[in-house]
Amino acid sequence: MPNKLTTLFTKKISRRDFFRGAGGFIVNHWLLSLLPVGGAGLLGWAEHDTEELQSEMWDLFYPKLPKALEGKTICQLSDLHLETLKITPQRIIQTTMAQKPDLLVLTGDIISTRTDLDKVNSYLEKLSAPCGKYVVLGNNDYGHLSHSLMKRFLKQLQGLGWIPLLNQSSFIPSLNLWMIGIDDPATAHDNVDQAYQNLLTTQTSPPTSLFRLALAHSSDCLDDVAFYGADLLLTGHTHGGQIRIPGLPPLVTNTYLGDKGIYEGYHVIQGIPLYISRGIGESIIPLRFNVPPEITFFTFHQGNESPKHQTKDAK
């Protein structure tokens, strides 16, 4: 199992402090925008960070990695929030497909409004991977759709070749890998017991010969995932804080771990290798500040080495 990397710790921020900070940011933003130099500089910085898409490249090492996974690459996309997304479909597709991923996963918050359903195809239909494309939903996906429109959304995703895993698990024989999809924890749709049920009832090989990849929008399902075990848990939801003024903690992280300063990147917690994506889009305020969007790639290797990481700017 990969070793734990250094984690981030920040001071817990209260609801009152958050709204004071958010209000202060908005007020300061408008005040600075009235200044010819300060406003232009701040806005330009935020606009740059909002569109500065990065590829986060990870090499992960496992002593008992299934041979079928050696050298294979999984790509994670998260938090598209299509309503305000400024990054074009072409750029996301080009950045993703340039790495030729073997497997694609999308960890929730694809849409922010009902009208985003009309944008989904342009972003997701040209993404492909030989071993499949899997998706779990997030709080914004649930927050803006009726039951009827949710059915339409899921059929739309399936029509584009994406497989929704809503508290379900699915085995990929070619990779000797179980995909475990946990429905959105942020809106209490998560049922980890149910998500693992298919794995537990059909598993014939020893657990050490299989790889368990769990997907969830939020890391708030970690306790239950740790009970069953996973070789990697991929999440999003925090946006990495979205707005991080240097010297201050993020304004909001929206998770239990985020309150403790763990809101992005790779960590090992309760024995579970966990990755929290900064995501691609934004919510509430349509800007990022000091928190660039990301698409993440994980390449698996047999061995005992610590994880290796590099960041590349997407063209």
Side-chain angles (χ1 to χ4, degrees), residues 71-186:
K72 295 295 191 298
T73 297
I74 293 175
C75 173
Q76 179 194 10
L77 301 97
S78 194
D79 297 88
L80 291 169
H81 292 280
L82 293 179
E83 179 188 17
T84 57
L85 186 60
K86 297 178 177 63
I87 301 172
T88 65
Q90 293 75 23
R91 193 167 174 217
I92 291 175
I93 293 166
Q94 180 181 356
T95 301
T96 300
M97 300 310 299
Q99 302 302 321
K100 299 180 180 179
D102 298 284
L103 185 69
L104 278 168
V105 300
L106 177 53
T107 50
D109 272 9
I110 302 163
I111 65 170
S112 292
T113 68
R114 291 181 293 275
T115 57
D116 288 344
L117 293 175
D118 297 330
K119 304 175 184 178
V120 169
N121 285 27
S122 62
Y123 279 89
L124 299 185
E125 66 181 343
K126 293 184 179 180
L127 294 172
S128 63
C131 296
K133 305 184 294 185
Y134 293 83
V135 58
V136 293
L137 299 183
N139 55 296
N140 277 275
D141 300 312
Y142 277 108
H144 301 279
L145 297 180
S146 65
H147 286 292
S148 296
L149 287 178
M150 177 57 74
K151 291 179 182 177
R152 174 185 291 191
F153 183 36
L154 292 174
K155 288 181 179 178
Q156 183 178 9
L157 291 171
Q158 291 169 329
L160 298 174
W162 291 84
I163 300 172
L165 291 177
L166 308 184
N167 294 321
Q168 297 169 294
S169 53
S170 178
F171 185 60
I172 304 176
S174 62
L175 298 178
N176 212 8
L177 178 149
W178 274 100
M179 296 290 305
I180 304 155
I182 299 160
D183 209 354
D184 177 47

Side-chain angles (χ1 to χ4, degrees), residues 221-265:
C221 61
L222 179 62
D223 287 354
D224 287 344
V225 173
F227 175 80
Y228 287 104
D231 298 292
L232 183 62
L233 170 60
L234 302 181
T235 69
H237 187 54
T238 65
H239 300 192
Q242 189 170 313
I243 294 173
R244 296 205 321 238
I245 298 172
L248 296 176
L251 291 182
V252 63
T253 57
N254 287 322
T255 60
Y256 177 80
L257 288 177
D259 291 342
K260 297 181 178 297
I262 303 173
Y263 46 80
E264 69 166 326

